Structures are given as C-alpha cells and as structure tokens.
C-alpha cells in the first residue's frame, strides 16, 4: 500500500521570506511602470514646432509616421506609433495644428481629431501661375511675392508644371507649404502621364511637349481643334518657318493682354514667335491632358495657317493665298 506524500510544513520564517520577495517584485514592477509613465509624459510634454496645417496621407499608422518623418516632422518611429494606437489613427487629408506653444501630445492628438477647414481653388487650363498665385493670395491672405519666391526656389520650371485642377486647400497653410503641395501633385501627375505613354519620364522630351501643349492650349478654340493646331506647329517647325502665333505672347503677367501689332513689334523677348524662329524657351501657361496628347499625337495634315472664323473656331489652310482669303471671310 502506497503512502501519500506528506505535506511539508512551511514555517513562519519561510513564509515571511516569500512574502518579502513578492513585495519586492511588486515594487520593482511599480517602479518600472512609473518610469515608463513618466518617460511617456515627458515625451508627450516636449515642445514641438509645426506648420499651422499638416497633410496626412492614407495608409497604416507606420506608413503615416514614416511619411511625416520624411517630411521633417520630429516624430519617433516606434514610440509615437504606439502612442497613436492609443490616441487614435490619424485622419487622412489636411489637419489643423493650431496651439502655440505646441507639445508633442497636442500634435499627435490633432493628427487624429482635428480636420482643417478647406477652401476651393480652381486652376483652369490656359492660365499662368502668376494669376493662380494672385487668386490664392487673395483667398488665403497670403503674400503673392512670397508665393512667387517660394516657387522659384523650389523648381526650375518657369511655367506649365502646375496642374490645372480643383484644389481643396486648408486655411492657415503657409506660402512655402502650399507651393510644395502643388509641386508634389504636379510631379506625380506628369510622371504618371508620360510613363503611361512612353514607359519612362524623360525630362527634356517632357519639356518640349509641354511647351507645344501650352501653345496649343492658347490657340485652339476647343479640344477637337487641338490636334490640328498641333499639326500646324510641327509643320512650320519642319519647314523652318516662324510660328507667328499670338498665344506665345500671352506668357506670365500678359496672360490676358490682347496682342496688338505694336506689341508684336516691341516685345523683344524670346516668347515673340513673330520675331524669332522655333519654340519659346518655356511653356506659356498651364496645360490640359488633351493639349498634352495633341502635342504628342498631332493630326497628319499639310496645314500651315489658321484663322478664327465667324463660328468662333478656326479655319485651316495649306498656303498663304488661301489663308488671306480666309481672313477676309
């Protein structure tokens, strides 16, 4: 017959020792927890600088943190990521970051809970960046001169790079932040369009097509005419003829200035295609996707001339004699 194990008695000294160790472990855990809590509170209370508004892309919290670190926001990849899991996932789009002074806790909370109020700005094909920046300066109480300065510092493209579109822009955005937002959108747009057509983005080829597209945009009465206007440009270039197109003189601040014989005689800039052969050095305006396609895929014609008719469109011709007759009509 097996004897049951005898229960080993725990004397008072052993029990006191076990209780003492449990208390010590508990106190150590409490100390560690307090250190973590104080560290997080210190981390959240640290001052942080930010623009009045910030753009948050779509994606996971990790992707959002990585994006904002790339944009020079002072965020910690690991710590702030876990804090946002507790505070709430950031909203995609523009968020308002207003408090001053701003702490890291304020910033993380705003990312998750504060949508920025927006205003709508529409940039139409054929306009110049000068007129766009006038519109923006008036709508957002910004400096036109600073917008132009920030643009010149950020890109070598004089014109034709910003994309005609309807933009939802947050109130409180700075001139620099706004310009970089517009340029980032434009860079992606042009890259996507040209990669779809050519398989790669070639800057020199792109520049030539955008210059031609901008002339088409200024000259064509509608989208249907664009490939024919494009053919006239290419035909004249091939024959080493001057383009002699009014639209090239509607550059920059002259976007809506009527072209007169006096202006043609007196404007000695390289945009005057009555005076100089070849294309102007830069695009003269913003361009639509239809104008870009027309510049890349001109219609096969022998046209060298066109003139506006009574219907508001253009009549095209192959020789100067017919062109003179069309002018009379």
């Amino acid at each position: 017959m097996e004897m049951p194990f005898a229960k080993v008695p725990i004397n008072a000294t052993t029990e006191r020792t076990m209780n003492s160790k449990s208390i010590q472990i508990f106190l150590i855990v409490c100390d560690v927890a307090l250190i973590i809590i104080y560290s997080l509170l210190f981390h959240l209370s640290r001052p942080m600088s930010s623009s009045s508004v910030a753009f948050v892309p779509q994606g996971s919290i990790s992707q959002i943190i990585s994006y904002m670190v790339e944009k020079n926001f002072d965020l910690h990849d690991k710590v702030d990521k876990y804090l946002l899991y507790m505070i709430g996932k950031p909203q995609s789009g523009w968020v308002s970051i207003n408090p001053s002074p701003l702490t890291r806790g304020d910033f993380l909370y705003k990312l998750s809970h504060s949508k920025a109020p927006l205003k709508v700005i529409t940039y139409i094909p054929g306009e110049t960046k000068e007129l766009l920046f006038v519109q923006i300066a008036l709508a957002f109480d910004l400096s036109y001169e600073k917008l132009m300065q920030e643009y010149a510092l950020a890109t070598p493209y004089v014109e034709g790079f910003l994309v005609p579109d309807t933009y939802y822009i947050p109130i409180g955005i700075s001139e620099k932040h706004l310009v970089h937002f517009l340029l980032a959108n434009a860079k992606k747009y042009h890259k996507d369009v040209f990669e779809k057509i050519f398989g790669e983005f070639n800057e020199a080829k792109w520049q030539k097509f955008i210059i031609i597209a901008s002339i088409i945009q200024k000259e064509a009465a509608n989208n249907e005419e664009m490939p024919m206007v494009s053919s006239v440009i290419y035909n004249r270039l091939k024959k080493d003829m001057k383009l002699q197109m009014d639209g090239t003189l509607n550059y920059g601040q002259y976007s809506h200035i009527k072209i007169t014989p006096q202006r043609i005689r007196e404007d000695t800039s390289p945009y005057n295609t009555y005076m100089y052969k070849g294309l102007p050095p830069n695009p003269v305006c913003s361009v639509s996707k239809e104008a870009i396609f027309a510049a890349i895929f001109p219609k096969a014609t022998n046209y060298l001339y066109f003139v506006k008719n009574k219907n508001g469109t253009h009549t095209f011709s192959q020789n100067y004699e017919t062109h003179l007759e069309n002018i009379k009509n």
Side-chain angles (χ1 to χ4, degrees):
M1 181 175 178
E2 294 184 2
M3 295 295 292
F5 289 106
K7 190 171 183 179
V8 179
I10 299 175
N11 58 39
T13 302
T14 303
E15 187 173 358
R16 284 197 299 271
T17 301
M18 292 176 65
N19 288 337
S20 176
K21 287 183 178 179
S22 297
I23 292 171
Q24 288 177 357
I25 292 171
F26 175 75
L27 291 174
I28 290 170
V29 170
C30 288
D31 286 342
V32 171
L34 285 172
I35 290 170
I36 292 173
I37 291 170
Y38 281 130
S39 297
L40 288 176
L41 289 174
F42 175 75
H43 180 75
L44 289 170
S45 65
R46 288 175 59 196
M48 183 173 177
S49 61
S50 171
S51 54
S52 297
V53 292
F55 182 76
V56 178
Q58 292 185 338
S60 66
I61 290 178
S62 295
Q63 290 170 329
I64 291 169
I65 291 289
S66 296
Y67 169 86
M68 302 201 79
V69 169
E70 288 176 6
K71 298 299 180 184
N72 298 318
F73 284 95
D74 181 22
L75 295 177
H76 192 286
D77 282 347
K78 293 181 180 179
V79 177
D80 290 330
K81 177 175 72 174
Y82 290 113
L83 285 171
L84 282 173
Y85 278 118
M86 293 185 286
I87 295 171
K89 183 179 178 181
Q91 307 172 86
S92 62
W94 292 102
V95 294
S96 179
I97 314 289
N98 285 323
S100 181
L102 180 72
T103 66
R104 185 176 299 272
D106 294 329
F107 182 81
L108 294 176
Y109 182 83
K110 289 288 184 178
L111 288 184
S112 302
H113 296 83
S114 185
K115 278 284 189 182
L118 305 175
K119 280 188 178 181
V120 179
I121 293 291
T122 300
Y123 186 35
I124 65 172
E127 288 292 8
T128 62
K129 72 178 187 301
E130 283 82 359
L131 291 180
L132 171 65
F133 287 158
V134 165
Q135 184 183 2
I136 288 173
L138 291 173
F140 292 89
D141 194 25
L142 296 175
S143 165
Y144 169 80
E145 290 75 17
K146 193 168 183 181
L147 286 167
M148 293 291 288
Q149 290 170 3
E150 292 293 347
Y151 182 90
L153 288 171
T155 180
Y157 302 126
V158 175
E159 186 59 83
F161 189 59
L162 298 181
V163 180
D165 202 352
T166 296
Y167 294 97
Y168 295 86
I169 300 174
I171 297 171
I173 193 169
S174 69
E175 289 88 351
K176 182 176 182 178
H177 202 170
L178 175 54
V179 166
H180 281 266
F181 165 70
L182 293 173
L183 289 174
N185 177 74
K187 183 177 180 180
K188 182 179 185 305
Y189 171 85
H190 289 294
K191 189 172 182 289
D192 289 347
V193 169
F194 274 78
E195 283 184 349
K196 285 179 182 177
I197 297 172
F198 297 107
E200 63 177 359
F201 181 75
N202 181 291
E203 187 173 1
K205 186 184 288 186
W206 167 84
Q207 180 76 352
K208 179 181 177 181
F209 284 132
I210 296 299
I211 291 173
I212 293 173
S214 71
I215 301 172
I216 295 169
Q217 192 76 60
K218 287 289 191 180
E219 294 286 345
N222 51 46
N223 291 343
E224 289 70 30
E225 278 192 359
M226 287 183 173
M228 288 190 290
V229 172
S230 182
S231 74
V232 174
I233 294 171
Y234 281 103
N235 291 341
R236 281 182 161 260
L237 291 174
K238 188 175 180 180
K239 289 181 175 291
D240 198 32
M241 297 172 65
K242 294 175 183 176
L243 293 184
Q244 295 182 314
M245 295 188 179
D246 289 1
T248 62
L249 285 169
N250 286 132
Y251 62 91
Q253 61 184 321
Y254 305 110
S255 179
H256 290 282
I257 303 299
K258 184 177 180 180
I259 307 304
T260 62
Q262 181 181 359
R263 173 80 189 286
I264 291 171
R265 288 192 304 270
E266 294 178 356
D267 191 315
T268 59
S269 75
Y271 292 92
N272 190 344
T273 54
Y274 286 92
M275 191 173 291
Y276 305 104
K277 290 182 180 180
L279 297 170
N282 298 293
V284 294
C285 66
S286 63
V287 295
S288 63
K289 191 174 290 186
E290 290 80 7
I292 295 174
F293 283 7
I296 298 171
F297 305 109
K299 189 170 183 178
T301 75
N302 293 319
Y303 293 142
L304 293 171
Y305 305 91
F306 59 90
V307 64
K308 184 171 284 189
N309 56 41
K310 295 176 181 178
N311 298 323
T313 56
H314 291 94
T315 303
F316 294 80
S317 55
Q318 299 180 23
N319 57 71
Y320 189 60
E321 291 74 20
T322 305
H323 178 59
L324 291 177
E325 289 297 321
N326 291 334
I327 291 174
K328 293 176 184 178
N329 296 329

